[in-house]
Amino acid sequence: MSQVSQKSQHIPRATIERLSVYLEILANLKAEGIEVVSSEQMAAASKSNASQIRKDLAYFGEFGVRGMGYYVKDLMQSITSSLGIDREWRAVLVGIGNMGRALLTHKAIPARGYRIVGAFDSDPNKIGTRINNFEIYDIARLPDMVHELNAEIGVIATPPDKAQAVAEYMLQAGLHGILNFASMRLTVPADVYVEYVDFLHHLYALSFKISLAKIR
Amino acid sequence: MSQVSQKSQHIPRATIERLSVYLEILANLKAEGIEVVSSEQMAAASKSNASQIRKDLAYFGEFGVRGMGYYVKDLMQSITSSLGIDREWRAVLVGIGNMGRALLTHKAIPARGYRIVGAFDSDPNKIGTRINNFEIYDIARLPDMVHELNAEIGVIATPPDKAQAVAEYMLQAGLHGILNFASMRLTVPADVYVEYVDFLHHLYALSFKISLAKIR
DNA sequence: CGTTGTGAAGAGCTTCACAGCG
DNA sequence: CGCTGTGAAGCTCTTCACAACG
């Protein structure tokens, strides 16, 4: 457990993205009391392809039983373990605007094993207040506090013009993973991973598809 | 203007996603007063590849000047026009929890031409109240109101277990584009486009990369 | 001359088809 | 027998390399 392992050297980024979809499907199946599932059934539920699913899973190991399928519970454990998410991950959040507050109260975050262990802002009116049992700390204290909080992930939910400065604090704090909700590209060293939650690009994609559909 | 056009038949989904990154870079350049940019310079700013950028742009037309580069202002106009986002898009929002409130107050949404024209919830305590000048309507009124509000996009910001029911209301209302913030896959007809804002999968991706880096 | 636009090559991802195995 | 795991084929996307051209 909590040991990332793989059969293959390189795993396609697309595979990683699909695994979370599979996890969701499996959670639903488990809730319905279904214990075994075939790649064909999962394909139907995920609008993917059965071979794709088998190949995705095979990157990490042989989890299925030939002639039968996959045990739902075991497969969930295998996927979470493969992704390294079968343990608690501690994160610090910076930016206590509406988005930050939404994250502090979001139920899915702790439900998936992610724990926000510190909340930071630069606004003196917010520093020292409490939101949903989180005390808001001064962003200047981030580098010191990350270590004692034992956090590994930094979440940025500030306005775009503050995002790079916050990222610098996070680098200084020794964080190697950043989840960025601000619509601003970040400049970081190669050993720091940044994931962008960019709902504007999803809006653009929708507009484009709708526009295209209309001229067809 | 507001006329989507393309040189090629099929445009890679990856290209569409990158265009919003290019737009952001161009907006920054414009703010700095820079008027002309080369694909090489844009590649440096976007951590992409110069050929990639030229090819992405060439799907839609010939926007550059050989020996010189691209005019920043013209290119922004060309991209927004190509994506069909050089006009106002009207959206309805369902789910007035913390995430919904964050969206109602998010400055980037109107700044990019998206206007939330209606906010809905099913909670009687919320219906009839006002948030940031938006009156909250009963979700049951969505199908009727979408037409008079002239909305084209539906945004779902409810808990996961409500998302599919909300999607049904949106289908009934005749919406063809859905932006889904709930962590739940939706079942919709083929002529309805759904984009998923799934920050959990970004968290998973971070955990995986950090875990991998540690065992290397 | 410098940079675009683009065919061709290369890399990466998906799907097929079937051997392997419970 | 049925379904997985996987080489090979097929397809899509990315990168290269250079002709085209302002």
Side-chain angles (χ1 to χ4, degrees):
Chain A
M1 262 187 229
S2 207
Q3 176 56 60
V4 174
S5 65
Q6 352 171 153
K7 282 170 74 180
S8 327
Q9 198 50 52
H10 175 75
I11 290 169
R13 152 171 210 92
T15 292
I16 304 300
E17 296 191 358
R18 282 190 297 267
L19 288 180
S20 61
V21 176
Y22 303 158
L23 267 186
E24 211 176 293
I25 292 169
L26 291 166
N28 289 339
L29 292 172
K30 196 181 166 201
E32 291 171 39
I34 293 166
E35 294 186 351
V36 178
V37 66
S38 70
S39 58
E40 203 65 62
Q41 291 170 288
M42 288 185 63
S46 66
K47 284 173 183 160
S48 179
N49 167 299
S51 312
Q52 180 76 82
I53 291 172
R54 295 198 298 276
K55 184 140 282 193
D56 284 342
L57 298 177
Y59 284 120
F60 296 96
E62 306 199 0
F63 303 138
V65 183
R66 286 158 201 249
M68 168 137 60
Y70 301 85
Y71 287 105
V72 171
K73 215 178 139 192
D74 291 358
L75 186 53
M76 288 180 75
Q77 174 55 42
S78 300
I79 294 178
T80 53
S81 162
S82 298
L83 287 176
I85 55 178
D86 59 339
R87 64 157 170 105
E88 183 182 86
W89 284 82
R90 299 162 72 92
V92 288
L93 169 69
V94 179
I96 312 301
N98 282 288
M99 183 61 76
R101 268 186 284 266
L103 295 172
L104 285 178
T105 55
H106 205 293
K107 291 186 187 70
I109 295 173
R112 313 297 165 107
Y114 290 86
R115 194 165 141 205
I116 297 175
V117 292
F120 297 82
D121 205 295
S122 61
D123 181 346
N125 293 320
K126 289 177 183 160
I127 295 165
T129 64
R130 295 192 143 261
I131 290 174
N132 198 30
N133 272 333
F134 293 95
E135 181 175 347
I136 313 302
Y137 299 107
D138 187 336
I139 174 70
R141 298 182 59 194
L142 184 90
D144 285 345
M145 290 186 66
V146 161
H147 186 250
E148 73 188 65
L149 292 169
N150 204 18
E152 293 167 281
I153 291 176
V155 180
I156 301 179
T158 63
D161 58 317
K162 298 281 178 13
Q164 181 64 42
V166 170
E168 310 284 349
Y169 276 117
M170 290 180 173
L171 300 180
Q172 211 182 316
L175 294 173
H176 283 266
I178 296 179
L179 182 66
N180 184 19
F181 282 82
S183 0
M184 174 59 68
R185 296 277 121 179
L186 302 177
T187 304
V188 299
D191 62 344
V192 175
Y193 307 106
V194 181
E195 290 281 323
Y196 296 89
V197 181
D198 185 355
F199 66 82
L200 290 171
H201 98 225
H202 289 290
L203 278 177
Y204 294 162
L206 275 182
S207 297
F208 177 64
K209 288 177 188 170
I210 294 172
S211 301
L212 261 196
K214 281 191 180 160
I215 60 173
R216 287 247 166 82
Chain B
M1 261 183 232
S2 208
Q3 177 54 61
V4 173
S5 65
Q6 353 171 152
K7 281 170 76 179
S8 327
Q9 198 52 53
H10 176 74
I11 291 168
R13 151 170 211 92
T15 292
I16 304 298
E17 297 192 358
R18 281 189 297 267
L19 288 179
S20 62
V21 176
Y22 303 159
L23 267 186
E24 210 175 294
I25 292 169
L26 291 166
N28 288 339
L29 292 172
K30 195 181 167 201
E32 291 171 39
I34 294 166
E35 294 186 353
V36 178
V37 65
S38 70
S39 57
E40 204 67 62
Q41 290 170 289
M42 288 186 62
S46 66
K47 283 175 185 160
S48 179
N49 168 299
S51 311
Q52 181 75 81
I53 290 172
R54 294 199 298 274
K55 184 140 281 194
D56 283 342
L57 297 176
Y59 283 120
F60 296 95
E62 307 200 359
F63 304 138
V65 183
R66 286 160 201 248
M68 167 136 63
Y70 301 85
Y71 286 105
V72 171
K73 215 178 140 192
D74 291 357
L75 186 54
M76 287 181 75
Q77 175 55 41
S78 300
I79 294 177
T80 53
S81 162
S82 298
L83 287 176
I85 54 178
D86 58 342
R87 64 158 171 103
E88 183 182 86
W89 284 82
R90 299 163 72 91
V92 288
L93 169 69
V94 179
I96 314 300
N98 282 288
M99 182 61 75
R101 268 187 283 267
L103 295 172
L104 284 179
T105 54
H106 205 292
K107 292 186 187 70
I109 294 174
R112 314 296 165 108
Y114 291 86
R115 193 164 141 206
I116 297 175
V117 292
F120 298 81
D121 205 295
S122 61
D123 181 347
N125 293 320
K126 288 177 185 160
I127 295 166
T129 64
R130 294 193 143 262
I131 290 174
N132 198 31
N133 272 335
F134 292 95
E135 182 176 346
I136 313 303
Y137 299 106
D138 187 333
I139 174 71
R141 297 181 60 192
L142 184 90
D144 285 344
M145 291 187 66
V146 161
H147 186 250
E148 73 187 67
L149 292 170
N150 204 19
E152 294 168 280
I153 292 175
V155 180
I156 302 179
T158 63
D161 58 319
K162 299 280 180 9
Q164 182 63 44
V166 170
E168 310 284 349
Y169 277 117
M170 290 180 173
L171 299 180
Q172 211 181 315
L175 293 173
H176 284 265
I178 296 178
L179 182 66
N180 184 20
F181 283 82
S183 0
M184 174 59 68
R185 296 276 120 179
L186 301 178
T187 305
V188 299
D191 63 344
V192 175
Y193 307 107
V194 182
E195 290 281 323
Y196 296 90
V197 182
D198 184 355
F199 67 84
L200 290 171
H201 99 224
H202 289 289
L203 278 177
Y204 294 162
L206 275 183
S207 298
F208 177 64
K209 288 177 187 170
I210 295 172
S211 301
L212 261 195
K214 281 192 181 159
I215 60 173
R216 288 248 166 79

